[in-house]
Amino acid sequence: MLALLQLLFVTGSLAAPLDKRSGQLMGTLGGKKKLTFDRNGNFKVVSFSDMHFGERWGDGTWASWGPSNDAATQNVHATVLDQEKPNYVVFNGDMMTGENVFADNATGYLDQCYKPTVDRNIPFSSTHGNHDNANNINHNEEIEYEQAHYGHLSYTRSDVGPKPYGNGNYWVPVYAKEGDWKPALIMWFFDSRSFVSGTGDGPGPVPDAANYYWVDEHTVPAYIQQQALLMDIIWGGVPPSLVFVHIPFQRSDDLYQLPTQGDHDDEPDPSTQGYLNNTYTGLDNPTFQQILKLSGSNNNVLAITSGHDHGESWCARSKASNGITLCFDGHSGYGGYVTTHSQVRNGRVFNLNLKDLQQRYPSVETWNSYENKTINDKVTLNNQYLAQYN
Ligand SMILES: *[C@@H]1O[C@H](CO)[C@@H](O)[C@H](O)[C@H]1NC(C)=O
Ligand SMILES: *[C@@H]1O[C@H](CO)[C@@H](O)[C@H](O)[C@H]1NC(C)=O
Ligand SMILES: *[C@@H]1O[C@H](CO)[C@@H](O)[C@H](O)[C@H]1NC(C)=O
């Protein structure tokens, strides 16, 4: 069985499901270039959230601030990319303000959003936000456009999840070196879906009563469990992991008060996953529980990072999150709302190093990288981070 799986894995011909429990290991199909750590054993990721391209007045007229905000957002990305020189970029949702864009050219805002990254030839992928599911655009349209136009650089997939509003669930492996067959790092990407349009005047893809929705509880937990089982069989375990999802898990409501570095200007409660009619339903918990299993007893999940709450840019963990670190990316766009004490735009950096990942308790350095050409809030995430609350 093991040899057979290895053979199938290596040849990439994982056709039919192998048995009820296994299915196929995703993430290595599609003939993409293998992502690898650099010669010094480093792999740096920048996560950009909440770009909100394509804004205009509510009455449908265009205003000069829309296009000028969009140019300023490109400038933020260019500045951070030149400062950090990352190996990978994540667009962690709300690429555009879908309520404002026109259906016939909405995807043009993806071109604008990805341009600084594409110009620098940096591989990337996306999660999708509540504003990417709106009147004139949905997650599936964005995924298909990205795959069709940026397939040489984009690793975005759609492995499971309800189409067209919640199917951006997938993972991407990163190898220590080209010849390896077991990855050193897995990046997981989940789709936290959305309300309809932010206007509450439906009809739309999800009930009007849903505030912010959650990762689909019917397909995603089973997917994580199945993929982890296959990783276990084939690789002898799940590699250290980073998780990206636009809307934060509800447990971040309980971490906001902790004394952590970064902006605390936009308390997540109740704009986190799982709220219906302003009441927490617990429906983001099935996915969270599977992530907890991935993390196991050695804090194998380094962090789950989110956007959505523009004035938040901290990382924290406590008993309330079962020791999993939840981070916020801050705000990288000139579109979208701005809070008083969080005006300087930024991306969140994860600086991964092979030696740090190979420890019994893996760790990663993370910080905020700002448009004013400074970095701040540098912390090391591992089982010792905020140990007093865990
Ligand atoms: C989409 O079309 C509108 C109306 O013609 C135009 O003002 C806007 O610039 C276009 N957006 C893009 C991204 O092409
Ligand atoms: C949410 O609230 C609205 C208005 O009070 C009500 O009509 C609707 O049934 C509620 N939906 C859910 C799922 O509780
Ligand atoms: C840049 O912005 C950050 C975040 O607001 C701030 O902490 C820092 O002091 C600023 N640095 C400069 C040189 O303006």
Side-chain angles (χ1 to χ4, degrees), residues 4 9 49 56 82 118 124 140 157 180 186 199-200 206 215 232 267 309 314 338 362 371:
L4 175 65
F9 170 74
S49 279
R56 62 190 157 104
D82 289 341
V118 169
F124 69 93
N140 192 54
R157 287 199 316 275
D180 287 3
I186 302 287
T199 60
V206 295
V215 177
D232 230 12
E267 181 161 13
D309 297 298
W314 43 267
V338 184
E371 61 177 324

Side-chain angles (χ1 to χ4, degrees), residues 62 102 104-105 108-109 112:
W62 287 92
F102 294 105
D104 63 359
N105 71 0
Y109 293 102
Q112 295 187 12

Side-chain angles (χ1 to χ4, degrees), residues 232-383:
D232 230 12
I233 294 170
I234 297 173
W235 297 327
V238 180
S241 297
L242 270 180
V243 178
F244 299 85
V245 62
H246 177 72
I247 302 179
F249 283 99
Q250 184 269 344
R251 285 155 192 254
S252 46
D253 294 355
D254 298 320
L255 304 179
Y256 173 80
Q257 303 296 345
L258 297 181
T260 44
Q261 297 185 51
D263 291 349
H264 297 66
D265 204 31
D266 193 10
E267 181 161 13
D269 186 4
S271 60
T272 46
Q273 289 189 40
Y275 281 86
L276 261 187
N277 274 0
N278 294 313
T279 304
Y280 180 55
T281 61
L283 288 170
D284 64 335
N285 200 41
T287 299
F288 191 83
Q289 289 301 323
Q290 286 303 324
I291 294 174
L292 206 52
K293 284 189 190 155
L294 284 183
S295 197
S297 56
N298 62 337
N299 279 70
N300 207 37
V301 171
L302 298 158
I304 303 174
T305 195
S306 298
H308 190 60
D309 297 298
H310 298 182
E312 301 292 87
S313 62
W314 43 267
C315 289
R317 62 190 280 267
S318 79
K319 288 199 175 86
S321 65
N322 295 80
I324 302 252
T325 297
L326 304 180
C327 295
F328 284 84
D329 288 340
H331 187 193
S332 80
Y334 269 73
Y337 71 90
V338 184
T339 64
T340 314
H341 305 105
S342 184
Q343 308 228 359
V344 186
R345 287 4 180 232
N346 73 291
R348 171 166 292 285
V349 178
F350 290 98
N351 192 27
L352 298 136
N353 176 274
L354 283 176
K355 279 204 199 86
D356 298 339
L357 295 182
Q358 285 155 1
Q359 304 303 313
R360 177 170 155 75
Y361 296 99
S363 62
V364 62
E365 262 191 331
T366 184
W367 60 81
N368 291 311
S369 187
Y370 292 96
E371 61 177 324
N372 67 7
K373 301 190 179 165
T374 60
I375 69 166
N376 217 337
D377 315 318
K378 189 187 273 198
V379 288
T380 299
L381 307 178
N382 61 14
N383 72 321

Side-chain angles (χ1 to χ4, degrees), residues 62-287:
W62 287 92
S64 59
W65 54 260
S68 79
N69 277 349
D70 293 346
T73 303
Q74 289 183 321
N75 197 40
V76 172
H77 286 206
T79 301
V80 171
L81 294 175
D82 289 341
Q83 171 158 285
E84 301 294 344
K85 304 211 171 1
N87 303 92
Y88 199 82
V89 169
V90 177
F91 296 98
N92 208 6
D94 284 359
M95 273 67 87
M96 67 184 79
T97 298
E99 299 90 309
N100 287 181
V101 299
F102 294 105
D104 63 359
N105 71 0
T107 49
Y109 293 102
L110 293 181
D111 297 330
Q112 295 187 12
C113 180
Y114 301 152
K115 190 169 192 304
T117 298
V118 169
D119 282 352
R120 288 163 182 75
N121 215 26
I122 305 171
F124 69 93
S125 62
S126 308
T127 72
H128 299 85
N130 41 303
H131 291 280
D132 296 303
N133 263 347
N135 312 47
N136 296 310
I137 189 75
N138 63 53
H139 290 187
N140 192 54
E141 283 169 6
E142 289 197 15
I143 292 168
E144 287 185 349
Y145 185 85
E146 185 180 324
Q147 290 176 330
H149 293 81
Y150 297 100
H152 59 300
L153 287 176
S154 161
Y155 287 74
T156 299
R157 287 199 316 275
S158 165
D159 289 351
V160 288
K163 262 187 190 167
Y165 303 107
N167 55 323
N169 300 292
Y170 61 101
W171 57 269
V172 172
V174 187
Y175 298 85
K177 51 186 194 312
E178 183 78 35
D180 287 3
W181 66 285
K182 175 180 175 174
L185 171 76
I186 302 287
M187 298 184 286
W188 300 81
F189 302 88
F190 298 122
D191 190 325
S192 48
R193 304 187 289 166
S194 79
F195 52 63
V196 185
S197 64
T199 60
D201 61 2
V206 295
D208 290 343
N211 300 97
Y212 288 110
Y213 250 63
W214 52 88
V215 177
D216 179 46
E217 77 277 25
H218 301 296
T219 55
V220 176
Y223 165 76
I224 298 171
Q225 189 175 26
Q226 178 210 55
Q227 296 296 300
L229 181 69
L230 280 170
M231 290 177 188
D232 230 12
I233 294 170
I234 297 173
W235 297 327
V238 180
S241 297
L242 270 180
V243 178
F244 299 85
V245 62
H246 177 72
I247 302 179
F249 283 99
Q250 184 269 344
R251 285 155 192 254
S252 46
D253 294 355
D254 298 320
L255 304 179
Y256 173 80
Q257 303 296 345
L258 297 181
T260 44
Q261 297 185 51
D263 291 349
H264 297 66
D265 204 31
D266 193 10
E267 181 161 13
D269 186 4
S271 60
T272 46
Q273 289 189 40
Y275 281 86
L276 261 187
N277 274 0
N278 294 313
T279 304
Y280 180 55
T281 61
L283 288 170
D284 64 335
N285 200 41
T287 299

